[in-house]
Amino acid sequence: MQSRINKLPKIELHSHLEGTIKPELAHQLAKRNAISLDNCLFDDNGSYAWSNFASFLSAYDSVSSCLSKGEDYRDITYNYLKDCAGENVIYAETFISPDHAAECGISYGDMIKGIAQGIDDAENDFEIIGRIIVTCVRHLGPAQGLNVVQTMVNNPHPYVVGFGMGGDENAFTLEEFAPIFNVAEKAGYPCTVHAGEICGPESVWDAINYLPVSRIGHGVQSIFDEKLLTAIVNRNIHLEICPGSNLALGIFHDWAEHPLPRLISRGISVSLNSDDPPFFHTTVGQEYHDSAKNFELGDEVLKSISLMAMEASFADTKTKSKLVNKIKNF
Ligand code: ADE
Ligand code: ZN
Protein backbone atom coordinates (compact mmCIF):
# COMPACT_ATOMS: atom_id res chain seq x y z
CA MET A 1 0.00 0.00 0.00
CA GLN A 2 2.76 2.44 1.05
CA SER A 3 4.86 1.69 -2.00
CA ARG A 4 1.80 1.81 -4.26
CA ILE A 5 1.10 5.35 -2.97
CA ASN A 6 4.75 6.28 -3.52
CA LYS A 7 4.50 5.20 -7.15
CA LEU A 8 1.09 6.75 -7.86
CA PRO A 9 1.40 9.68 -10.32
CA LYS A 10 0.52 12.80 -8.34
CA ILE A 11 -0.57 16.29 -9.31
CA GLU A 12 0.02 19.47 -7.33
CA LEU A 13 -2.23 22.46 -8.11
CA HIS A 14 -1.70 24.58 -5.01
CA SER A 15 1.74 25.60 -3.82
CA HIS A 16 3.24 29.07 -3.35
CA LEU A 17 6.69 29.14 -4.92
CA GLU A 18 8.17 31.51 -2.32
CA GLY A 19 6.59 29.27 0.34
CA THR A 20 8.42 26.18 -0.97
CA ILE A 21 11.86 27.55 0.01
CA LYS A 22 13.28 25.30 2.74
CA PRO A 23 15.21 26.93 5.62
CA GLU A 24 18.50 25.50 4.32
CA LEU A 25 17.97 27.01 0.87
CA ALA A 26 16.86 30.33 2.39
CA HIS A 27 20.17 30.46 4.31
CA GLN A 28 22.16 29.57 1.15
CA LEU A 29 20.43 32.21 -0.97
CA ALA A 30 20.71 34.86 1.75
CA LYS A 31 24.44 34.15 2.03
CA ARG A 32 24.93 34.24 -1.75
CA ASN A 33 23.07 37.56 -1.92
CA ALA A 34 24.68 39.04 1.23
CA ILE A 35 21.26 39.48 2.80
CA SER A 36 20.69 38.94 6.51
CA LEU A 37 17.48 37.09 7.32
CA ASP A 38 15.47 38.12 10.36
CA ASN A 39 16.58 35.91 13.32
CA CYS A 40 12.98 35.68 14.49
CA LEU A 41 12.23 33.76 11.30
CA PHE A 42 13.63 30.52 12.76
CA ASP A 43 12.83 28.53 15.89
CA ASP A 44 15.39 26.61 17.98
CA ASN A 45 15.22 23.65 15.59
CA GLY A 46 15.93 25.84 12.58
CA SER A 47 12.35 25.52 11.27
CA TYR A 48 10.28 28.54 10.33
CA ALA A 49 8.75 30.20 13.39
CA TRP A 50 5.16 31.42 13.27
CA SER A 51 2.15 30.96 15.53
CA ASN A 52 -0.98 32.03 13.66
CA PHE A 53 -2.17 33.00 10.19
CA ALA A 54 -0.94 36.61 10.48
CA SER A 55 2.53 35.61 11.71
CA PHE A 56 2.66 32.88 9.04
CA LEU A 57 2.03 35.51 6.32
CA SER A 58 4.74 37.72 7.74
CA ALA A 59 7.22 34.80 8.00
CA TYR A 60 6.40 34.08 4.35
CA ASP A 61 7.30 37.68 3.46
CA SER A 62 10.57 37.41 5.44
CA VAL A 63 11.64 34.20 3.68
CA SER A 64 11.00 35.79 0.29
CA SER A 65 13.50 38.51 1.15
CA CYS A 66 16.39 36.05 0.54
CA LEU A 67 15.77 36.45 -3.21
CA SER A 68 17.59 39.08 -5.22
CA LYS A 69 17.81 38.00 -8.88
CA GLY A 70 16.11 35.92 -11.56
CA GLU A 71 18.65 33.13 -11.06
CA ASP A 72 17.40 32.70 -7.48
CA TYR A 73 13.94 32.04 -8.89
CA ARG A 74 15.46 29.42 -11.18
CA ASP A 75 17.01 27.68 -8.18
CA ILE A 76 13.92 27.68 -5.95
CA THR A 77 11.78 26.41 -8.84
CA TYR A 78 14.26 23.65 -9.67
CA ASN A 79 14.57 22.56 -6.02
CA TYR A 80 10.82 22.48 -5.53
CA LEU A 81 10.17 20.50 -8.73
CA LYS A 82 13.03 18.11 -7.95
CA ASP A 83 11.45 17.30 -4.58
CA CYS A 84 8.05 16.88 -6.24
CA ALA A 85 9.44 14.56 -8.90
CA GLY A 86 11.03 12.45 -6.13
CA GLU A 87 7.49 11.73 -4.94
CA ASN A 88 6.20 10.93 -8.44
CA VAL A 89 4.48 14.26 -8.94
CA ILE A 90 4.17 14.43 -12.73
CA TYR A 91 2.64 17.91 -13.02
CA ALA A 92 2.84 20.91 -10.66
CA GLU A 93 1.27 24.35 -10.94
CA THR A 94 2.82 26.84 -8.59
CA PHE A 95 1.62 30.28 -7.54
CA ILE A 96 4.11 33.06 -8.02
CA SER A 97 3.89 36.55 -6.61
CA PRO A 98 5.30 39.42 -8.70
CA ASP A 99 4.73 41.67 -5.67
CA HIS A 100 7.19 39.65 -3.60
CA ALA A 101 9.71 39.70 -6.48
CA ALA A 102 9.33 43.48 -6.84
CA GLU A 103 9.92 43.87 -3.10
CA CYS A 104 13.31 42.16 -3.71
CA GLY A 105 14.10 44.38 -6.70
CA ILE A 106 13.42 41.61 -9.26
CA SER A 107 11.50 42.58 -12.41
CA TYR A 108 8.55 40.54 -13.69
CA GLY A 109 10.57 39.57 -16.79
CA ASP A 110 13.59 38.37 -14.78
CA MET A 111 11.37 36.44 -12.39
CA ILE A 112 9.52 34.62 -15.20
CA LYS A 113 12.76 33.95 -17.07
CA GLY A 114 14.31 32.41 -13.95
CA ILE A 115 11.26 30.28 -13.16
CA ALA A 116 10.96 29.10 -16.78
CA GLN A 117 14.62 28.03 -16.69
CA GLY A 118 13.96 26.08 -13.47
CA ILE A 119 10.94 24.42 -15.12
CA ASP A 120 12.95 23.48 -18.23
CA ASP A 121 15.88 22.13 -16.19
CA ALA A 122 13.55 20.09 -13.94
CA GLU A 123 11.67 18.68 -16.93
CA ASN A 124 14.96 17.68 -18.59
CA ASP A 125 16.35 16.10 -15.43
CA PHE A 126 13.22 14.57 -13.85
CA GLU A 127 10.48 14.56 -16.51
CA ILE A 128 8.17 16.64 -14.30
CA ILE A 129 6.05 19.33 -15.97
CA GLY A 130 5.85 22.65 -14.12
CA ARG A 131 3.53 25.56 -14.87
CA ILE A 132 2.96 29.01 -13.38
CA ILE A 133 -0.11 30.72 -11.93
CA VAL A 134 0.50 34.43 -11.41
CA THR A 135 -1.08 35.69 -8.19
CA CYS A 136 -1.79 39.03 -6.62
CA VAL A 137 -1.82 39.56 -2.86
CA ARG A 138 -5.26 40.35 -1.47
CA HIS A 139 -4.13 42.56 1.41
CA LEU A 140 -2.14 44.75 -0.99
CA GLY A 141 -5.47 45.81 -2.47
CA PRO A 142 -7.25 45.92 -5.85
CA ALA A 143 -5.12 48.72 -7.35
CA GLN A 144 -1.98 46.63 -6.90
CA GLY A 145 -3.88 43.56 -8.14
CA LEU A 146 -4.72 45.40 -11.35
CA ASN A 147 -1.07 46.21 -11.81
CA VAL A 148 -0.16 42.51 -11.46
CA VAL A 149 -2.82 41.23 -13.85
CA GLN A 150 -1.98 43.85 -16.48
CA THR A 151 1.71 42.99 -16.27
CA MET A 152 0.84 39.31 -16.75
CA VAL A 153 -1.45 39.97 -19.74
CA ASN A 154 1.05 42.34 -21.39
CA ASN A 155 3.94 39.87 -21.04
CA PRO A 156 2.58 36.47 -22.05
CA HIS A 157 4.70 33.38 -21.50
CA PRO A 158 3.72 29.82 -22.50
CA TYR A 159 4.30 28.53 -18.95
CA VAL A 160 1.98 31.10 -17.38
CA VAL A 161 -1.33 29.25 -17.47
CA GLY A 162 -3.58 31.03 -14.99
CA PHE A 163 -4.26 33.82 -12.54
CA GLY A 164 -5.06 33.74 -8.83
CA MET A 165 -4.93 35.49 -5.48
CA GLY A 166 -3.64 34.61 -2.00
CA GLY A 167 -3.07 36.69 1.11
CA ASP A 168 -5.33 37.82 3.92
CA GLU A 169 -8.92 36.76 3.24
CA ASN A 170 -10.19 39.43 5.63
CA ALA A 171 -8.77 42.31 3.57
CA PHE A 172 -11.05 44.10 1.07
CA THR A 173 -13.96 42.26 -0.59
CA LEU A 174 -13.88 39.84 -3.50
CA GLU A 175 -16.36 42.07 -5.34
CA GLU A 176 -13.65 44.74 -5.38
CA PHE A 177 -11.34 42.30 -7.16
CA ALA A 178 -13.88 41.38 -9.87
CA PRO A 179 -12.46 43.86 -12.46
CA ILE A 180 -8.99 42.37 -11.96
CA PHE A 181 -10.08 38.77 -12.45
CA ASN A 182 -12.19 39.84 -15.44
CA VAL A 183 -9.05 41.20 -17.13
CA ALA A 184 -7.39 37.79 -16.70
CA GLU A 185 -10.43 35.87 -17.90
CA LYS A 186 -10.94 38.09 -20.98
CA ALA A 187 -7.31 37.51 -21.92
CA GLY A 188 -7.91 33.74 -21.75
CA TYR A 189 -6.41 32.94 -18.34
CA PRO A 190 -8.43 30.54 -16.15
CA CYS A 191 -8.66 31.68 -12.53
CA THR A 192 -8.52 30.42 -8.95
CA VAL A 193 -8.79 32.33 -5.68
CA HIS A 194 -8.12 31.59 -1.99
CA ALA A 195 -11.46 31.55 -0.20
CA GLY A 196 -13.10 29.55 2.58
CA GLU A 197 -9.75 28.91 4.23
CA ILE A 198 -9.87 31.45 7.06
CA CYS A 199 -13.32 32.96 6.39
CA GLY A 200 -16.62 31.10 6.30
CA PRO A 201 -18.84 29.82 3.48
CA GLU A 202 -19.91 33.37 2.56
CA SER A 203 -16.37 33.96 1.25
CA VAL A 204 -16.77 31.02 -1.15
CA TRP A 205 -20.18 32.32 -2.26
CA ASP A 206 -18.50 35.67 -3.02
CA ALA A 207 -15.77 33.91 -4.97
CA ILE A 208 -18.14 31.96 -7.21
CA ASN A 209 -20.66 34.79 -7.57
CA TYR A 210 -18.28 37.69 -8.28
CA LEU A 211 -15.21 36.12 -9.86
CA PRO A 212 -14.73 34.04 -13.04
CA VAL A 213 -13.12 31.15 -11.14
CA SER A 214 -13.18 27.44 -11.93
CA ARG A 215 -11.20 26.56 -8.80
CA ILE A 216 -11.05 27.66 -5.19
CA GLY A 217 -7.91 27.56 -3.06
CA HIS A 218 -8.98 25.61 0.05
CA GLY A 219 -12.75 26.24 0.15
CA VAL A 220 -12.91 23.84 3.10
CA GLN A 221 -15.32 26.08 5.05
CA SER A 222 -17.93 25.25 2.38
CA ILE A 223 -18.67 22.15 4.44
CA PHE A 224 -20.78 24.32 6.77
CA ASP A 225 -23.29 25.30 4.03
CA GLU A 226 -25.31 22.57 2.32
CA LYS A 227 -26.56 24.88 -0.47
CA LEU A 228 -23.03 25.96 -1.21
CA LEU A 229 -21.89 22.33 -1.56
CA THR A 230 -24.66 21.80 -4.12
CA ALA A 231 -23.65 24.99 -5.98
CA ILE A 232 -20.01 23.85 -6.07
CA VAL A 233 -21.04 20.53 -7.64
CA ASN A 234 -23.51 22.14 -10.09
CA ARG A 235 -21.03 24.78 -11.22
CA ASN A 236 -18.22 22.22 -11.45
CA ILE A 237 -15.91 24.16 -9.12
CA HIS A 238 -12.75 22.33 -8.11
CA LEU A 239 -11.42 22.66 -4.54
CA GLU A 240 -7.64 22.70 -4.03
CA ILE A 241 -7.45 20.98 -0.64
CA CYS A 242 -4.38 21.28 1.61
CA PRO A 243 -5.12 19.22 4.75
CA GLY A 244 -1.66 19.58 6.35
CA SER A 245 -1.80 23.36 5.95
CA ASN A 246 -5.32 23.49 7.43
CA LEU A 247 -4.26 21.46 10.46
CA ALA A 248 -1.01 23.41 10.98
CA LEU A 249 -2.94 26.70 10.88
CA GLY A 250 -5.53 25.33 13.32
CA ILE A 251 -8.44 25.66 10.90
CA PHE A 252 -9.44 22.14 11.91
CA HIS A 253 -8.24 20.64 15.17
CA ASP A 254 -7.55 17.14 13.94
CA TRP A 255 -7.88 14.83 10.97
CA ALA A 256 -11.26 13.57 12.17
CA GLU A 257 -12.65 17.11 11.86
CA HIS A 258 -11.25 17.74 8.39
CA PRO A 259 -14.00 17.70 5.71
CA LEU A 260 -12.11 16.10 2.80
CA PRO A 261 -13.94 12.73 2.91
CA ARG A 262 -17.31 14.51 3.12
CA LEU A 263 -16.43 16.76 0.17
CA ILE A 264 -15.46 13.70 -1.89
CA SER A 265 -18.65 11.86 -1.01
CA ARG A 266 -20.67 14.92 -2.09
CA GLY A 267 -19.14 14.47 -5.55
CA ILE A 268 -16.93 17.58 -5.38
CA SER A 269 -13.79 17.60 -7.50
CA VAL A 270 -10.75 17.89 -5.20
CA SER A 271 -6.97 17.74 -5.27
CA LEU A 272 -4.39 17.18 -2.51
CA ASN A 273 -1.77 19.89 -2.14
CA SER A 274 1.12 21.08 0.03
CA ASP A 275 0.48 24.89 0.02
CA ASP A 276 3.76 26.01 1.69
CA PRO A 277 5.61 22.72 2.35
CA PRO A 278 8.39 23.64 4.82
CA PHE A 279 6.14 25.99 6.81
CA PHE A 280 3.67 23.18 7.42
CA HIS A 281 6.22 20.33 7.54
CA THR A 282 4.62 18.62 4.59
CA THR A 283 5.00 17.72 0.92
CA VAL A 284 2.44 16.69 -1.67
CA GLY A 285 3.51 13.04 -1.25
CA GLN A 286 3.05 13.39 2.50
CA GLU A 287 -0.47 14.72 1.92
CA TYR A 288 -1.35 11.59 -0.09
CA HIS A 289 0.09 9.31 2.61
CA ASP A 290 -1.50 11.21 5.51
CA SER A 291 -4.87 11.31 3.77
CA ALA A 292 -4.69 7.58 3.01
CA LYS A 293 -3.97 6.84 6.67
CA ASN A 294 -6.22 9.32 8.44
CA PHE A 295 -9.18 9.32 6.06
CA GLU A 296 -8.78 5.63 5.20
CA LEU A 297 -8.63 6.38 1.47
CA GLY A 298 -7.74 3.41 -0.73
CA ASP A 299 -5.48 3.44 -3.80
CA GLU A 300 -8.40 3.88 -6.17
CA VAL A 301 -9.64 7.00 -4.36
CA LEU A 302 -6.14 8.48 -4.36
CA LYS A 303 -5.85 7.72 -8.07
CA SER A 304 -9.21 9.43 -8.67
CA ILE A 305 -7.88 12.48 -6.77
CA SER A 306 -4.89 12.65 -9.15
CA LEU A 307 -7.32 12.38 -12.07
CA MET A 308 -9.65 15.09 -10.72
CA ALA A 309 -6.63 17.32 -10.19
CA MET A 310 -5.28 16.84 -13.70
CA GLU A 311 -8.73 17.46 -15.20
CA ALA A 312 -9.00 20.70 -13.17
CA SER A 313 -5.48 21.83 -14.04
CA PHE A 314 -4.87 24.83 -16.28
CA ALA A 315 -2.63 22.79 -18.62
CA ASP A 316 -3.23 22.94 -22.38
CA THR A 317 -5.47 20.21 -23.82
CA LYS A 318 -2.61 18.13 -25.22
CA THR A 319 -0.63 18.07 -21.96
CA LYS A 320 -3.81 17.41 -20.02
CA SER A 321 -4.88 14.41 -22.07
CA LYS A 322 -1.35 12.95 -22.07
CA LEU A 323 -1.10 13.16 -18.28
CA VAL A 324 -4.68 12.04 -17.67
CA ASN A 325 -3.81 8.89 -19.67
CA LYS A 326 -0.63 8.40 -17.67
CA ILE A 327 -2.68 8.41 -14.45
CA LYS A 328 -5.41 6.18 -15.91
CA ASN A 329 -2.80 3.64 -17.03
CA PHE A 330 -1.29 3.39 -13.53
N1 ADE B 1 0.04 32.72 0.85
C1 ADE B 1 0.82 31.67 1.07
N2 ADE B 1 0.14 30.69 1.68
C2 ADE B 1 -1.11 31.13 1.86
C3 ADE B 1 -2.29 30.58 2.42
N3 ADE B 1 -2.31 29.35 2.95
N4 ADE B 1 -3.38 31.34 2.45
C4 ADE B 1 -3.38 32.56 1.94
N5 ADE B 1 -2.30 33.13 1.39
C5 ADE B 1 -1.17 32.41 1.35
ZN1 ZN C 1 -2.36 28.79 -0.54
Side-chain angles (χ1 to χ4, degrees):
M1 172 84 176
Q2 290 267 342
S3 75
R4 182 97 182 135
I5 299 175
N6 286 341
K7 288 182 195 142
L8 174 70
K10 303 173 188 71
I11 309 298
E12 168 115 292
L13 298 182
H14 188 128
S15 70
H16 300 258
L17 185 58
E18 298 85 1
T20 69
I21 306 172
K22 292 182 197 166
E24 195 192 348
L25 183 59
H27 287 299
Q28 269 174 30
L29 291 173
K31 191 168 170 207
R32 180 163 102 188
N33 294 325
I35 288 163
S36 52
L37 288 170
D38 188 347
N39 265 342
C40 303
L41 179 57
F42 303 99
D43 66 17
D44 292 344
N45 300 318
S47 300
Y48 293 130
W50 54 272
S51 56
N52 53 34
F53 188 63
S55 66
F56 155 70
L57 285 179
S58 96
Y60 181 96
D61 291 346
S62 291
V63 174
S64 309
S65 71
C66 71
L67 303 163
S68 98
K69 40 191 178 315
E71 185 196 333
D72 300 336
Y73 269 102
R74 181 262 164 218
D75 291 349
I76 64 172
T77 305
Y78 184 82
N79 275 277
Y80 163 63
L81 292 174
K82 180 182 177 193
D83 286 350
C84 283
E87 299 184 318
N88 284 314
V89 176
I90 56 171
Y91 177 88
E93 280 171 11
T94 188
F95 300 131
I96 62 148
S97 168
D99 289 310
H100 284 83
E103 192 64 31
C104 303
I106 306 170
S107 70
Y108 182 79
D110 283 353
M111 175 187 61
I112 297 289
K113 197 169 159 213
I115 296 170
Q117 189 64 55
I119 287 176
D120 284 339
D121 292 348
E123 184 168 355
N124 279 334
D125 292 351
F126 314 114
E127 269 182 61
I128 183 171
I129 296 178
R131 292 292 181 262
I132 300 166
I133 296 177
V134 170
T135 57
C136 62
V137 178
R138 182 161 173 171
H139 51 271
L140 297 183
Q144 190 53 24
L146 190 58
N147 202 9
V148 170
V149 78
Q150 281 169 342
T151 306
M152 175 187 81
V153 168
N154 293 336
N155 297 276
H157 187 286
Y159 293 168
V160 173
V161 294
F163 181 73
M165 178 166 75
D168 184 357
E169 262 184 60
N170 285 299
F172 304 92
T173 64
L174 287 181
E175 193 176 3
E176 289 172 279
F177 282 94
I180 289 117
F181 279 78
N182 289 338
V183 169
E185 200 226 3
K186 278 209 182 79
Y189 293 86
C191 299
T192 176
V193 68
H194 282 62
E197 177 191 21
I198 304 300
C199 296
E202 67 288 351
S203 68
V204 180
W205 278 117
D206 284 352
I208 63 175
N209 286 336
Y210 291 120
L211 307 179
V213 292
S214 58
R215 296 183 353 207
I216 301 280
H218 300 285
V220 281
Q221 305 277 347
S222 310
I223 200 66
F224 300 113
D225 183 335
E226 270 298 313
K227 279 195 180 138
L228 177 57
L229 294 174
T230 305
I232 289 171
V233 175
N234 290 344
R235 298 193 206 181
N236 199 18
I237 303 285
H238 174 90
L239 302 186
E240 303 153 8
I241 305 288
C242 315
S245 160
N246 296 156
L247 293 180
L249 285 165
I251 288 157
F252 298 101
H253 296 109
D254 53 33
W255 287 91
E257 240 184 44
H258 196 281
L260 179 72
R262 284 171 285 158
L263 296 169
I264 294 176
S265 62
R266 282 297 301 249
I268 293 173
S269 170
V270 295
S271 49
L272 278 171
N273 306 278
S274 67
D275 209 2
D276 304 280
F279 286 87
F280 305 135
H281 304 284
T282 190
T283 63
V284 66
Q286 185 75 40
E287 295 298 322
Y288 274 72
H289 280 285
D290 286 348
S291 295
K293 184 169 148 231
N294 295 291
F295 300 137
E296 297 180 9
L297 305 181
D299 292 352
E300 284 308 308
V301 178
L302 293 174
K303 182 173 163 181
S304 77
I305 290 176
S306 287
L307 272 173
M308 289 187 271
M310 199 59 227
E311 296 283 9
S313 77
F314 296 157
D316 61 86
T317 334
K318 202 171 145 210
T319 306
K320 199 181 271 196
S321 74
K322 188 178 103 187
L323 297 186
V324 160
N325 282 332
K326 198 166 176 176
I327 301 165
K328 280 187 177 160
N329 291 334
F330 176 75

